[in-house]
């Protein structure tokens, strides 16, 4: 399903809008409502984050959300339930974005089976090296889950080829060297990274890290297959910390703005 959605957006001459939101933030139910609103606003794919105590790829906004979720007692079962409820409510592909340690401790086969049973489309695993991904890739393939790896501007062409060959669904291209968060510039290296990644493989290339506005989404959409936005959605909820309905409305509105910007014809 993930592949067909990305093929459809390409046929429509637009970039896919991929929205990230952490499970359990501000509560488990609140997180589900926000992710559903993101899809209703125009996100083609949803990433549900598994909150982690040491999220090395994530900046202060997502770290704050993860801390709130963890202090609220979120568990892996809640993350998988969130994936299932969001997919059931919206029909869009829902990925889990997680660091490797929680999956390894939970049990690779168990995690893959439960994620697939919930209707999950796959996993983004930013800290899992391709060389150590055999057990996950085997379990994912058995359950029809995509395995999305992350590439960075520092990745050499040979490494890009290895990562692209090992992955499925799409390639997550980090727009810059650093952590997630909103920025004034998406990063000049992003377009070159997309070009280099496409040159060594056939997977769609979607760009994240730093995209927060319609203008930035339009810029990325001009050269990438997908635009990934996370911190900007989370910040909308932090801005309405005491008013969940307002937070849900805010993320829906941002998704609508960003979705409009991904249409290349303007």
């Amino acid at each position: 399903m993930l592949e067909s959605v990305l093929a459809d957006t390409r046929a429509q001459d637009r970039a896919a809008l991929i929205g990230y939101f952490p499970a359990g933030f501000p509560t488990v139910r609140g997180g589900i409502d926000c992710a559903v609103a993101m899809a209703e606003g125009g996100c083609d794919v949803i990433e549900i984050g598994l909150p982690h105590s040491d999220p090395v790829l994530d900046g202060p906004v997502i770290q704050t959300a993860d801390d709130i979720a963890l202090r609220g007692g979120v568990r892996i079962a809640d993350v998988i339930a969130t994936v299932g409820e969001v997919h059931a409510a919206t029909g869009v592909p829902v990925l889990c974005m997680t660091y490797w340690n929680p999956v390894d401790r939970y049990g690779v086969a168990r995690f893959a089976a439960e994620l697939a049973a919930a209707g999950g489309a796959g996993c983004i695993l930013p800290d899992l090296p391709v060389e150590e991904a055999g057990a996950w890739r085997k379990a994912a393939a058995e359950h029809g889950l995509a395995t999305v790896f992350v590439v960075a501007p520092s990745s050499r062409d040979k490494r890009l080829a290895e990562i692209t060959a090992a992955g499925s669904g799409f390639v997550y291209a980090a727009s810059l060297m650093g952590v997630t968060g909103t920025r004034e510039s998406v990063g000049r290296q992003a377009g070159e990274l997309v070009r280099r990644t496409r040159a060594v493989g056939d997977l769609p290339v979607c760009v994240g890290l730093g995209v927060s506005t319609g203008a930035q989404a339009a810029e990325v959409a001009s050269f990438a297959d997908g635009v990934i936005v996370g911190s900007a959605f989370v910040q909308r909820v932090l801005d309405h910390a005491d008013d969940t309905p307002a937070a849900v409305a805010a993320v829906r509105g941002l998704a609508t703005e960003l979705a409009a910007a991904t249409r290349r014809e303007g």
Side-chain angles (χ1 to χ4, degrees):
M1 183 182 182
L2 178 62
E3 291 82 357
S4 64
V5 166
L6 291 168
D8 287 347
T9 57
R10 178 178 288 182
Q12 296 166 21
D13 192 29
R14 65 182 180 90
L17 177 60
I18 303 173
Y20 166 94
F21 203 83
F25 169 73
T27 62
V28 173
R29 172 48 52 188
I32 292 168
D33 291 345
C34 286
V36 168
M38 288 161 60
E40 291 172 345
C43 286
D44 300 288
V45 179
I46 297 292
E47 301 174 12
I48 295 299
L50 193 159
H52 194 274
S53 57
D54 185 26
V56 294
L57 185 69
D58 294 308
V61 171
I62 291 175
Q63 287 181 22
T64 298
D66 279 5
D67 183 59
I68 291 169
L70 291 168
R71 285 192 284 111
V74 71
R75 296 289 183 264
I76 288 180
D78 299 314
V79 178
I80 292 172
T82 296
V83 170
E85 289 206 37
V86 174
H87 176 65
T90 66
V92 305
V94 183
L95 300 160
C96 179
M97 184 165 185
T98 177
Y99 296 97
W100 179 243
N101 186 55
V103 177
D104 191 36
R105 292 187 64 180
Y106 194 73
V108 175
R110 177 188 177 194
F111 188 89
E114 292 183 7
L115 181 62
C123 262
I124 301 171
L125 298 156
D127 65 339
L128 180 63
V130 169
E131 294 82 1
E132 299 174 21
W136 168 258
R137 289 174 61 200
K138 180 176 182 293
E142 288 174 355
H143 293 285
L145 298 171
T147 297
V148 178
F149 290 110
V150 178
V151 298
S154 60
S155 303
R156 297 182 181 275
D157 290 349
K158 180 175 183 294
R159 186 64 174 166
L160 291 176
E162 293 169 351
I163 292 171
T164 303
S168 55
F170 63 90
V171 178
Y172 187 128
S175 66
L176 39 73
M177 300 301 294
V179 297
T180 59
T182 61
R183 290 177 172 83
E184 292 183 6
S185 171
V186 176
R188 297 176 183 174
Q189 303 169 94
E192 177 64 12
L193 178 58
V194 170
R195 185 196 65 77
R196 291 171 54 223
T197 305
R198 283 179 174 158
V200 296
D202 298 325
L203 288 179
V205 185
C206 303
V207 171
L209 269 69
V211 181
S212 61
T213 67
Q216 291 171 338
E219 178 188 356
V220 172
S222 71
F223 59 77
D225 298 292
V227 181
I228 304 171
V229 181
S231 295
F233 285 115
V234 174
Q235 186 62 57
R236 291 297 193 279
V237 180
L238 291 172
D239 290 343
H240 298 86
D242 300 319
D243 189 344
T244 299
V248 171
V251 297
R252 183 184 288 109
L254 177 59
T256 300
E257 174 193 344
L258 295 169
T262 64
R263 300 183 180 279
R264 299 190 182 102
E265 66 273 19

